[in-house]
Amino acid sequence: MGEGTGVDAAGAASPLGALADLAGSWLARSAATPERHTGAVVADRFDRIAWRDTYEQAPALRELAAELGERHPHTDDLLTDAFLAAYKAAPRLREPTGMAPSRLVNHRIVTALLESPDFAELHRETVGDPYAAAMAVLAQGTALRRMLDDSHPARDRDERAALAGRDAEDAADAVAEALRQAADGAEEGSVPGPAADAVRRAVEDAQDAARRAASDAAHSLAVAVPGVRAAARGAVAKSAAAAREEAALMRAWGVGSGELERMPFGERARLAERLRAGRLAEWAELIGRFRQMAAGERARKVENATGELIGVTLGDDLSRVMPSELANLGLPELRAVFAARYAAGELMLYDSQGEQATGRGAVIACVDTSHSMYEAGPGGITREAWAKACALALLDQARHAGRDFVGIVFSAADKLRVFRFPADAPADLTRTLDFAETFLGGGTSYQRPLSAAGELLEAEFNDAARTRGDIVMLTDDDCGVTEAWMRDWNDAKRRLGFRVFGVGIGAPRVAAAGSVLAALCDNLRSVEDFTDVHAAADLFRVI
């Protein structure tokens, strides 16, 4: 009988039992090795579905994956991790010891991205938004490529650790096979000497392989990648800036987050590209400020109600009674005095002035796009940009009031385009962009756009009996009109009751007393500082 811990039928130690205990103990320790993950960011099934759906819809992501994959292994896992880091509400990284050694470079890169100072700002724009998260990954593409190139020495070390781990697994399989062969050759608990020696050698080899794997894994975890943190900071800063700019573009053009979430990936990508490449792309901030200003003026605008307090007056409007008068109601002996003053209309009231919106027909913005509108003013903002931003805010104004809006883009007498936005239909974004981006060039004619505006208001009156429309003329040029046309124009104003507002843009003479525009308009102002959106604030209180 050989030495061992097993016991045979006679109570003696069993060589086969001893070998089984030896091999089994080692195999149990080997089986206790933690699972090695290929993804650095902890994700559930739904997160991975979001990534796969986005990847399938985004050709640019697939192109980036193919490009990186030509030179580096496991880049699909890296892109998945970069996406999930931006997409998940609270991204959580696995411990490096739980990662497959071949994916440790990915773990280092994603760790550097998450630890970058600008990541929180980026995450605010991308969390829960697959499209924005994908755009963040694409913006980081160049930096990811550089970090992967710089990670070659570390990846070589990681690959050696992975190879050592596979050797340890093979050695464990050899232990199990040697034990099986020993069991097959055993007779009545007796194991042939060569078979027993084979089991012991297999266990020793497996132990050596496990030690080498553990040592290589420890060295691999300690390897640093020079420059990865700096590159990650640059990548996150770049992607945060791109996400911020795109979000500002969408907000400036009135595209809400809910609308974006419902928009297919491809359509949203095309929209973003159009906004970035459009005529007014660099003026998105101006457009956004204009629309915000208009919204603020709408909040100030009152209709059949009191407005700014300017003093005290007498009357019987209980909604404006001063507290000192109301105090009389608390004293029984003064209630009769209060009643008498109320009956005589002599209660002390807060005096205020309010502003009424009287327009009810369509709002029509006539935007000059003659060559001179190219000219830039303060801040590098062009006359066209200021006029278009004002017109888009007027579109918002009309929709808020439930009024039709018409944008008329004009220049010379033979150049005019009309864009209609009925109040009872959604404002199509494509049509809004077409209106904003249309530039005709050439000279300037007042008669053609104003005649078109008058005809539209006439048709509205005939179809819906609506009057009191508003026309806003945005121009930087002065031009004449005929006497016959002027008579017809004044007749139409009296009949339809519309108002005309004029804005001379960057040309004070256009809005000067005695100018043609002054004769045409009921309300006229000149704008020279194109950075000042409040120069037209009163328009949004009275229209």
Side-chain angles (χ1 to χ4, degrees):
M1 296 291 180
E3 296 179 358
T5 58
V7 178
D8 61 14
S14 166
L16 179 59
L19 289 173
D21 287 347
L22 174 64
S25 174
W26 191 87
L27 288 172
R29 292 197 302 272
S30 177
T33 302
E35 179 186 2
R36 301 295 185 177
H37 296 279
T38 58
V41 179
V42 178
D44 58 29
R45 180 167 60 92
F46 298 103
D47 296 329
R48 297 194 178 280
I49 289 174
W51 161 247
R52 287 196 299 270
D53 288 347
T54 305
Y55 185 81
E56 290 170 1
Q57 296 178 63
L61 276 180
R62 298 195 296 274
E63 291 170 6
L64 177 61
E67 178 191 348
L68 296 179
E70 289 179 357
R71 298 184 56 184
H72 306 283
H74 316 306
T75 51
D76 285 347
D77 290 330
L78 174 60
L79 294 183
T80 303
D81 284 331
F83 171 86
L84 293 174
Y87 174 73
K88 287 178 64 65
R92 181 167 60 89
L93 289 177
R94 300 186 190 280
E95 290 297 323
T97 53
M99 295 292 296
S102 60
R103 307 303 198 280
L104 283 174
V105 162
N106 293 354
H107 190 282
R108 295 183 188 101
I109 290 174
V110 177
T111 299
L113 293 175
L114 285 170
E115 292 176 350
S116 297
D118 293 311
F119 183 80
E121 180 184 356
L122 170 65
H123 195 239
R124 281 194 296 272
E125 301 291 350
T126 60
V127 60
D129 187 339
Y131 170 87
M135 292 301 105
V137 174
L138 292 172
Q140 295 163 5
T142 301
L144 291 176
R145 189 183 305 110
R146 185 167 64 253
M147 286 187 280
L148 287 169
D149 289 341
D150 293 343
S151 297
H152 268 303
R155 190 176 292 282
D156 291 342
R157 169 70 76 174
D158 295 340
E159 292 295 347
R160 286 197 295 273
L163 180 60
R166 288 193 292 272
D167 289 344
E169 293 172 1
D170 292 343
D173 293 340
V175 171
E177 178 61 19
L179 183 61
R180 184 188 64 78
Q181 291 180 3
D184 289 345
E187 297 179 359
E188 298 181 356
S190 176
V191 181
D197 291 342
V199 172
R200 294 189 182 92
R201 283 197 302 273
V203 170
E204 291 171 358
D205 291 344
Q207 289 172 335
D208 289 342
R211 281 193 293 270
R212 286 194 300 274
S215 175
D216 285 351
H219 284 94
S220 181
L221 289 171
V223 170
V225 181
V228 69
R229 292 188 181 279
R233 284 196 297 272
V236 172
K238 179 181 177 181
S239 55
R244 186 171 58 249
E245 290 169 6
E246 183 161 317
L249 268 178
M250 295 298 178
R251 286 192 295 268
W253 289 97
V255 186
S257 57
E259 184 179 355
L260 288 175
E261 290 173 4
R262 294 189 299 271
M263 197 176 292
F265 188 97
E267 181 181 343
R268 184 169 171 183
R270 289 189 294 273
L271 171 62
E273 180 59 30
R274 180 173 182 182
L275 294 181
R276 284 193 294 268
R279 287 183 61 83
L280 303 182
E282 62 182 304
W283 313 123
E285 190 268 341
L286 172 70
I287 294 170
R289 286 196 295 121
F290 235 113
R291 298 179 110 158
Q292 289 174 358
M293 177 274 294
E297 294 304 321
R298 279 197 298 275
R300 288 184 57 192
K301 188 164 90 171
V302 290
E303 193 169 339
N304 298 322
T306 56
E308 182 181 1
L309 296 177
I310 60 173
V312 177
T313 188
L314 300 178
D316 59 1
D317 185 352
L318 296 178
S319 67
R320 295 188 288 137
V321 174
M322 294 184 66
S324 58
E325 289 279 21
L326 292 174
N328 292 335
L329 290 175
L331 301 173
E333 60 270 25
L334 294 179
R335 287 175 186 168
V337 175
F338 181 93
R341 290 166 62 84
Y342 174 71
E346 295 179 352
L347 292 173
M348 286 191 295
L349 311 176
Y350 285 119
D351 194 14
S352 62
Q353 62 181 9
E355 293 159 337
Q356 268 190 317
T358 59
R360 285 295 179 270
V363 176
I364 302 178
C366 298
V367 183
D368 186 355
T369 59
S370 57
H371 282 309
S372 56
M373 293 290 282
Y374 276 127
E375 189 172 331
I381 299 171
T382 65
R383 298 174 177 182
E384 178 203 5
W386 194 94
K388 294 285 183 62
C390 183
L392 291 170
L394 288 169
L395 168 58
D396 291 346
Q397 190 83 352
R399 299 202 68 78
H400 186 268
R403 301 169 65 182
D404 291 350
F405 176 82
V406 182
I408 297 179
V409 178
F410 72 94
S411 58
D414 61 341
K415 294 183 178 181
L416 181 138
R417 286 193 64 185
V418 177
F419 298 87
R420 299 179 185 232
F421 298 87
D424 58 358
D428 181 70
L429 181 58
T430 300
R431 189 157 184 78
T432 303
L433 290 171
D434 290 341
F435 165 55
E437 293 175 355
T438 296
F439 194 92
L440 301 177
T444 304
S445 167
Y446 283 177
Q447 290 187 190
R448 179 77 190 284
L450 290 175
S451 293
E455 290 166 4
L456 288 166
L457 293 176
E458 182 88 48
E460 184 179 37
F461 173 73
N462 294 334
D463 292 342
R466 283 199 294 267
T467 59
R468 294 159 40 202
D470 291 309
I471 300 173
V472 181
M473 188 76 166
L474 300 149
T475 182
D476 71 339
D477 202 0
D478 195 18
C479 64
V481 296
T482 66
E483 290 185 10
W485 182 89
M486 193 68 176
R487 284 194 299 271
D488 292 341
W489 175 253
N490 288 329
D491 288 343
K493 281 188 67 178
R494 284 190 294 269
R495 185 174 66 258
L496 301 174
F498 60 78
R499 300 175 298 179
V500 182
F501 300 83
V503 184
I505 303 174
R509 61 179 177 77
V510 173
S515 68
V516 175
L517 196 60
L520 290 170
C521 297
D522 305 297
N523 182 302
L524 182 62
R525 84 282 326 280
S526 178
V527 175
E528 296 181 60
D529 182 0
F530 301 158
T531 64
D532 182 13
V533 299
H534 293 279
D538 63 310
L539 283 177
F540 300 92
R541 293 197 297 272
V542 297
I543 290 180

